[in-house]
Amino acid sequence: MTTKPNEAPVLVTGVTRGIGKAIAVRLLTNGYHVVGVYNKSDDDAAKLLKVHKNLRIVKADLTKRAATRNLIKELSTTKLQAIVNNAGLIDFETFDSFDERIWDKTIELNITAPLLLSTGLAKNLSKGSSIVNIASTDGLTGSFASMSYSASKAALINLTKSLSNNLGPRGIRVNAVAPGWINTGMATPASHEASSLTPLGRNGTPDEVAKLVEFLISDNASFITGSTYVVDGGYTNVDYIMKKEAAGGI
Ligand SMILES: NC(=O)c1ccc[n+]([C@@H]2O[C@H](COP(=O)([O-])OP(=O)(O)OC[C@H]3O[C@@H](n4cnc5c(N)ncnc54)[C@H](OP(=O)(O)O)[C@@H]3O)[C@@H](O)[C@H]2O)c1
């Protein structure tokens, strides 16, 4: 069983910014080795490499099937301690002029890449290791202008359960984390309004997601698999009509 960080790296996708960066930095700081994947942010990747000697960086555009296959090939002989499928994209689409290219790109990065990386690299994981998929609370509700994104995250939550069923007998755990409003580059101006609607009174930080990921890949989570953890400061627990009723003294 994996009881603490070891020489086998954790594969984290999307390490140059936001939540993925926080996950990679937290793990590296706490003694893990990390293979980090990014797409465009060369300067951020170089900065990370300068500071962290246990980081290996791979550049791959995971919206491209061939690039995902190449990544799997490149890592074919690398034993892994965990896989964190974090890289994701959201593109806004209008309902009346729905653009299927947004659907294809979003599905490819947000759900197909995690599936291919998990199946293609499962043999690199040993008993006690695990996979964490970064989903979203958007996968738990319907959407308006980001249907592709919400559908991809709902699929990722379900895929987590299937992977957990299939990999459980090998002693490999698979869980998902569903962040709510987290302040990263993905945040839109509207997302800042979420802080006033959230019971904890603020949006989350990337490191608050990273702490949970670190727990889930550790032995402290040794009996947890197939689960999705919501990290949203309580946002999705609130029914705003009920809140108004309460404010009105009903
Ligand atoms: N922020 C939120 O409020 C929130 C809420 C719920 C869920 N999430 C989920 O959390 C995850 C991280 O989100 P974030 O807010 O940290 O996003 P972010 O700040 O936009 O960072 C995205 C990261 O993914 C990488 N990436 C993007 N496209 C890629 C591609 N085609 N191939 C490989 N890597 C790619 C980026 O690399 P480059 O820098 O090289 O482009 C970057 O490192 C996503 O899955 C997102 O859906 C976020």
Side-chain angles (χ1 to χ4, degrees), residues 136-137 140 157 176-180 212 228-237:
S136 168
T137 51
L140 305 171
I157 288 168
V177 172
L212 177 58
T228 296
Y229 285 82
V230 171
V231 187
D232 72 345
Y235 181 86
T236 49
N237 290 330

Side-chain angles (χ1 to χ4, degrees), residues 71-88:
L71 175 63
I72 294 166
K73 211 161 154 193
E74 187 172 340
L75 296 176
S76 62
T77 57
T78 305
K79 286 278 165 235
L80 295 171
Q81 187 167 1
I83 299 172
V84 183
N85 288 305
N86 162 79

Side-chain angles (χ1 to χ4, degrees), residues 13-21 37-42 44 60-64 85-90 105 109-110 134-138 149 153 156 177-187 191 206 209:
T13 63
V15 292
T16 35
R17 292 182 284 120
I19 293 170
K21 181 177 176 182
V37 180
Y38 78 104
N39 182 24
K40 290 183 180 156
S41 304
D42 297 324
D44 297 272
D61 179 355
L62 300 179
T63 62
K64 307 277 188 303
N85 288 305
N86 162 79
L89 73 88
I90 187 166
K105 203 170 144 192
L109 179 62
N110 292 10
I134 307 300
S136 168
T137 51
D138 287 18
Y149 181 78
K153 295 300 186 178
L156 190 57
V177 172
W181 296 106
I182 308 295
N183 288 334
T184 70
M186 198 180 262
S191 72
V209 180

